[in-house]
Amino acid sequence: MTTQDIIRALNETFELKAEVLHGNQIRVSMHKKQVAPVLLYLKNQWGFIHLDHVSCVDWIEENVFELVYIVYRPQDQLTVLVKTKIHREHPEMENMEGFWPHMRTYQREIREMFGIEFPGFEAPREFILEGWEEIPPMRRDFDTRGYVKRTYTTRPGREDAWSVREYITRRTGEKLPDFARKYSRD
Amino acid sequence: MTGNWLIELTGIVLTALLAFTVGMFYGGLRRKVIARAQNRVGPPVYQNFLDLLKLQGKTTNVTHGLMTHLAPVWVLVAAITALLFIPVLHGGLWFPNFTFKGDLIFLLYLMVMGSLGMALGVGETGNPNGAIGVSRGLSLITGYEIPFVLSLVAIMIQFHTTSLTDLMHYQQATGHWIARENPFAFLAALFSVLGMFHYSPFDIIGAPAELASGPMSEFGGKYLGSLMTGGSIFAFVKLVLITDLFLGGAGHPDAYTGAAGVLLGLVELVIKTFLLYMIPVSIGIVMPRFRTEQAVRFFWRWPLLFGALGIIWAVFWK
Amino acid sequence: MSETKDIRIITRPTKEQIRQAQIDFAPRCTAAGRVNDKETQKMVQYILNFARKHSLFLLAYGTGCGAIEIPATLTSRYDAERLGIRGAATPRQADVLMITGYLSTKTLKRVIRVYEQMQDPKYVVAFGSCTINGGMYFDSYNTIKALDRYIPVDVYIAGCMPRPEAVLKGFAKLQELIQNGNAGNGECYRKNLDWYRANQQKVIKNWDFPDEYNW
């Protein structure tokens, strides 16, 4: 019953279409301006006091980043996935470090690994990487293999480091799908 | 003791060599005992000698200045000087000592000299771990020195002397150990010995996990070797001091004479000091580490009470 | 099915080719460090090497995944202390720098500082496949692929992960090298510092080492 209550409440308050993903998981997508009010509403009105995770996905085909905020209610193990999409050009998201203390960590990681800016977020810029000069490494248009070949020296004799995807298709005689060929790193 | 300076000099060298050998072997035995308690085979007993040889065989040594050079030497010199004022064997010609009236009070000062020299050397390296270790060490000294001084004062009151040899003479003449004459003073001194050895649970100074071995963290190679040597000699000094004070000392000038007498006295000394040494070692095996304030508070409770009781005993049950 | 044959045929190189490739790859301090001159002072060096080989103070640099194997090696089950191997708390006291698992460029900087603070003779044991050829991180943007480009390595222990038995075997090999006077490359590292510094600066972008500091 409670999942239905939450879905109805989200629909009535914000006019959002939420759906049940699994038994106790609710998924709801929205515009990026609505994320902060929805998270606050869930935290204060419905008792989702814990932020599980903030993850970022690079949908390079649609030219968007997808941010997923996962909040959790400990009483009945209920989870809500709050999703939003932002443009890859000049990506910006609202700074929400005051909502949960550990939001800082996730925001620092996303800013460093995907290059998403949070205006007003004043944490140090370097988090995991040191002296990084390329584009953020978790973006899919970052050429990892090329960077590795440019920067590091591999020991001779390591000839088995070829593309696994290509190896499997050639061994089984199967045709490489178009999307795989298009975004293959080789 | 005698007029012949050649014999005295030979005796001094012999004493230092004896203290070094016995101290190093005790360190190896401690490692072996701990290993056996943890169901391991453990290193060989002579492992500390190999460590020392390797440390002295290092080809480079980084230094931070004059006091860094001097600190290990200071520790070594303080240990050997303290050794010279302690009668290793009672009344023996071969192990002389510069005893005089009031050497017990002098020894009290001499025993913290090594720590002070170490503190100066560590201060020059500028390592924060070392500075924390030194401050912890000085706090610990304020802890265990008070019961130790109380127990010594109790003995001084009881026997009206401040000379170590006089106390040994008394024990030899009457056949009564001071541990029996004033058990509370003995207990207080035993507790202080736990603190003096810096073994667990009082290893707050050189705690490897939290302080990266504390004051020693910047000393490598030959410096570490010298510190190890000084520590071994000093361990022997502490053990012999407690044995002389409370357990009757070793050697009996009237009973045995000549080389056989010296040998028998040494055997007696090794047995007594080894049994005494096993007290801090075996406590260290089973106890985890105290925090600094817990360690100081420990010494200011029961050991302090025993020290005070020792003084009362000395005054009223004389 | 005919395509299965021509995937990529690896011809097995000869021993001579492997040796030449190794020399081309890391020509500096691979074969033998010259800690001591064995011809002069033969007896002294024999005794010193005997002591060195039986007293190894180990500094385990465990930021990779292999750090969990070291406690097992040192404690009751495998008891490395009976061979004279014990943990050291600081680089100044240590003889062996053991690098467990992969090294990111961020940790490589710390490893170099630690290595340079150790006192001669010093040995490096590289542990796990990642230190040899990158292991499963062969195409990671942030981990180095071969450790001996950056600091000289005495013994490699292959495996992912090497078990404590393999670690002890590696130490036995190191002891053999020490007894023969072939381990310890600190002198060689200082001599070829320019080559190593060039490799290090290629990877470490924000280079802030002091030009001259006390070793």
Side-chain angles (χ1 to χ4, degrees):
Chain A
M1 278 307 285
T2 46
T3 53
Q4 296 306 320
D5 288 346
I6 291 165
I7 289 174
R8 200 179 310 125
L10 282 172
N11 195 8
E12 282 167 7
T13 322
F14 296 100
E15 297 180 350
L16 292 171
K17 289 218 164 181
E19 52 180 340
V20 177
L21 196 61
H22 296 297
N24 51 2
Q25 285 187 351
I26 302 168
R27 180 173 63 187
V28 53
S29 305
M30 65 197 69
H31 189 260
K32 74 172 182 180
K33 294 224 161 108
Q34 279 181 304
V35 171
V38 167
L39 283 180
L40 270 189
Y41 176 72
L42 286 173
K43 184 186 176 191
N44 294 334
Q45 297 289 320
W46 291 94
F48 286 86
I49 54 170
H50 176 61
L51 174 73
D52 250 8
H53 192 64
V54 184
S55 81
C56 182
V57 187
D58 185 2
W59 295 107
I60 194 169
E61 295 90 346
E62 301 166 26
N63 203 22
V64 289
F65 287 122
E66 185 175 41
L67 281 170
V68 187
Y69 293 81
I70 303 171
V71 287
Y72 176 74
R73 186 160 77 180
Q75 293 95 336
D76 45 2
Q77 289 92 36
L78 208 62
T79 308
V80 179
L81 284 75
V82 179
K83 290 188 168 193
T84 184
K85 287 187 175 174
I86 52 180
H87 269 286
R88 284 184 100 253
E89 281 83 34
H90 307 295
E92 267 188 15
M93 187 61 204
E94 200 171 337
N95 172 26
M96 286 181 274
E97 60 177 320
F99 292 9
W100 285 277
H102 54 293
M103 186 72 100
R104 280 173 73 85
T105 311
Y106 291 120
Q107 287 190 3
R108 284 179 74 181
E109 187 185 359
I110 288 172
R111 182 168 70 182
E112 185 162 56
M113 290 296 173
F114 290 92
I116 297 176
E117 289 297 322
F118 298 90
F121 183 48
E122 288 179 352
R125 294 200 82 83
E126 276 196 348
F127 180 42
I128 296 168
L129 306 169
E130 250 188 16
W132 188 255
E133 292 160 353
E134 313 277 323
I135 61 170
M138 283 291 161
R139 288 195 180 192
R140 277 173 65 197
D141 50 355
F142 172 65
D143 183 11
T144 311
R145 183 66 70 84
Y147 178 79
V148 168
K149 275 181 184 155
R150 272 203 312 281
T151 314
Y152 303 106
T153 324
T154 340
R155 189 179 296 279
R158 175 89 204 210
E159 271 85 19
D160 59 338
W162 62 65
S163 166
V164 178
R165 187 180 276 153
E166 188 194 349
Y167 177 80
I168 292 173
T169 50
R170 286 176 74 173
R171 195 176 64 183
T172 55
E174 157 189 357
K175 195 170 163 288
L176 198 65
D178 279 343
F179 72 90
R181 186 163 294 139
K182 192 174 172 188
Y183 298 107
S184 170
R185 279 171 180 170
D186 282 320
Chain B
M1 290 176 80
T2 57
N4 195 337
W5 62 271
L6 198 65
I7 291 183
E8 274 194 14
L9 198 67
T10 323
I12 287 168
V13 173
L14 264 182
T15 318
L17 276 179
L18 175 85
F20 167 71
T21 319
V22 175
M24 292 292 270
F25 266 117
Y26 279 7
L29 268 174
R30 170 174 177 252
R31 284 172 73 175
K32 193 84 182 166
V33 166
I34 290 176
R36 293 309 297 155
Q38 294 171 354
N39 201 6
R40 291 191 278 133
V41 178
V45 186
Y46 53 86
Q47 179 66 45
N48 274 7
F49 289 98
L50 288 178
D51 286 353
L52 184 65
L53 199 58
K54 180 216 51 181
L55 288 173
Q56 298 291 357
K58 287 267 186 191
T59 50
T60 55
N61 276 293
V62 75
T63 179
H64 296 88
L66 184 65
M67 272 319 289
T68 324
H69 271 303
L70 285 185
V73 182
W74 191 312
V75 172
L76 199 57
V77 166
I80 292 178
T81 317
L83 181 70
L84 293 183
F85 286 92
I86 288 175
V88 175
L89 284 189
H90 184 240
L93 185 68
W94 289 23
F95 297 101
N97 62 88
F98 304 113
T99 179
F100 60 92
K101 292 276 174 208
D103 55 356
L104 209 47
I105 295 171
F106 180 63
L107 267 174
L108 266 180
Y109 285 96
L110 208 56
M111 289 191 50
V112 288
M113 280 293 280
S115 313
L116 290 180
M118 191 75 198
L120 287 174
V122 169
E124 195 173 36
T125 63
N127 192 315
N129 283 329
I132 298 171
V134 164
S135 74
R136 284 182 177 196
L138 296 181
S139 320
L140 193 64
I141 284 179
T142 60
Y144 68 73
E145 279 288 302
I146 293 177
F148 190 60
V149 169
L150 280 183
S151 90
L152 289 194
V153 165
I155 298 171
M156 291 173 198
I157 293 172
Q158 193 165 354
F159 298 96
H160 299 292
T161 177
T162 52
S163 162
L164 252 174
T165 30
D166 283 356
L167 289 170
M168 284 182 77
H169 272 307
Y170 171 81
Q171 297 184 64
Q172 296 278 356
T174 59
H176 293 163
W177 291 358
I178 296 181
R180 177 174 166 268
E181 300 274 309
N182 193 341
F184 291 115
F186 178 55
L187 268 178
L190 266 190
F191 277 119
S192 336
V193 163
L194 293 186
M196 277 181 207
F197 269 101
H198 305 320
Y199 292 162
S200 180
F202 302 106
D203 55 345
I204 51 176
I205 299 169
E210 50 187 279
L211 278 190
S213 78
M216 313 239 273
S217 52
E218 278 292 321
F219 293 91
K222 287 168 182 163
Y223 298 129
L224 191 63
S226 306
L227 286 176
M228 230 172 112
T229 315
S232 301
I233 294 179
F234 200 52
F236 184 73
V237 166
K238 286 178 272 194
L239 291 173
V240 174
L241 176 67
I242 299 295
T243 314
D244 281 353
L245 274 177
F246 294 101
L247 302 177
H252 207 288
D254 305 328
Y256 335 110
T257 48
V262 171
L263 218 62
L264 275 174
L266 283 182
V267 169
E268 190 188 348
L269 182 77
V270 165
I271 291 173
K272 278 181 180 171
T273 48
F274 180 71
L275 290 179
L276 191 64
Y277 184 60
M278 278 301 118
I279 295 172
V281 167
S282 45
I283 287 175
I285 291 171
V286 290
M287 295 284 280
R289 182 161 55 238
F290 275 148
R291 290 200 306 270
T292 315
E293 79 275 11
Q294 285 172 331
V296 175
R297 205 174 291 156
F298 172 83
F299 283 117
W300 287 355
R301 277 181 190 158
W302 286 104
L304 199 65
L305 180 71
F306 285 133
L309 278 177
I311 290 183
I312 294 168
W313 178 286
V315 170
F316 290 103
W317 276 270
K318 174 75 185 70
Chain C
M1 290 303 285
S2 62
E3 276 195 31
T4 51
K5 293 279 159 54
D6 67 324
I7 293 171
R8 208 177 288 193
I9 298 153
I10 304 169
T11 52
R12 191 171 287 268
T14 62
K15 270 190 177 174
E16 191 57 35
Q17 282 172 332
I18 293 174
R19 210 177 64 84
Q20 192 56 43
Q22 285 295 328
I23 290 172
D24 292 344
F25 179 63
R28 309 302 170 198
C29 305
T30 46
R34 283 97 204 151
V35 186
N36 45 54
D37 189 4
K38 269 181 74 86
E39 298 311 312
T40 61
Q41 292 190 333
K42 211 168 179 182
M43 200 64 215
V44 175
Q45 290 304 338
Y46 181 85
I47 295 171
L48 274 184
N49 281 342
F50 182 81
R52 280 170 188 152
K53 117 183 186 194
H54 283 109
S55 160
L56 297 169
F57 286 11
L58 172 72
L59 186 72
Y61 195 91
T63 56
C65 32
I68 198 66
E69 303 288 335
I70 304 304
T73 313
L74 291 178
T75 50
S76 299
R77 181 72 174 84
Y78 290 96
D79 187 22
E81 203 184 0
R82 75 199 138 96
L83 308 173
I85 300 162
R86 65 181 292 192
T90 64
R92 296 279 188 223
Q93 303 165 0
D95 305 309
V96 185
L97 176 61
M98 186 170 208
I99 292 164
T100 58
Y102 62 87
L103 280 180
S104 69
T105 53
K106 197 174 177 178
T107 48
L108 177 70
K109 197 169 158 185
R110 278 78 186 168
V111 163
I112 292 165
R113 284 301 284 267
V114 164
Y115 179 72
E116 290 176 357
Q117 282 177 32
M118 285 164 67
Q119 305 296 309
D120 276 345
K122 50 189 173 185
Y123 320 106
V124 179
V125 174
F127 171 106
S129 306
C130 302
T131 53
I132 301 174
N133 55 15
M136 60 186 275
Y137 298 97
F138 68 95
D139 62 349
S140 162
Y141 58 91
N142 207 22
T143 57
I144 60 162
K145 310 302 170 221
L147 182 60
D148 54 4
R149 301 278 291 183
Y150 310 103
I151 53 174
V153 177
D154 290 295
V155 173
Y156 280 113
I157 302 171
C160 182
M161 303 308 300
R163 282 183 56 79
E165 290 98 333
V167 180
L168 290 180
K169 185 79 201 318
F171 275 111
K173 178 71 184 166
L174 179 65
Q175 287 184 334
E176 190 190 316
L177 288 177
I178 292 171
Q179 181 67 74
N180 298 334
N182 287 336
N185 287 316
E187 198 67 43
C188 183
Y189 176 77
R190 278 195 292 279
K191 212 179 288 167
N192 296 303
L193 191 62
D194 292 340
W195 189 79
Y196 282 108
R197 278 279 186 265
N199 282 340
Q200 290 160 4
Q201 282 169 0
K202 194 179 166 198
V203 173
I204 300 170
K205 293 290 161 41
N206 55 347
W207 183 266
D208 56 357
F209 280 29
D211 289 335
E212 280 183 27
Y213 63 94
N214 198 344
W215 294 71

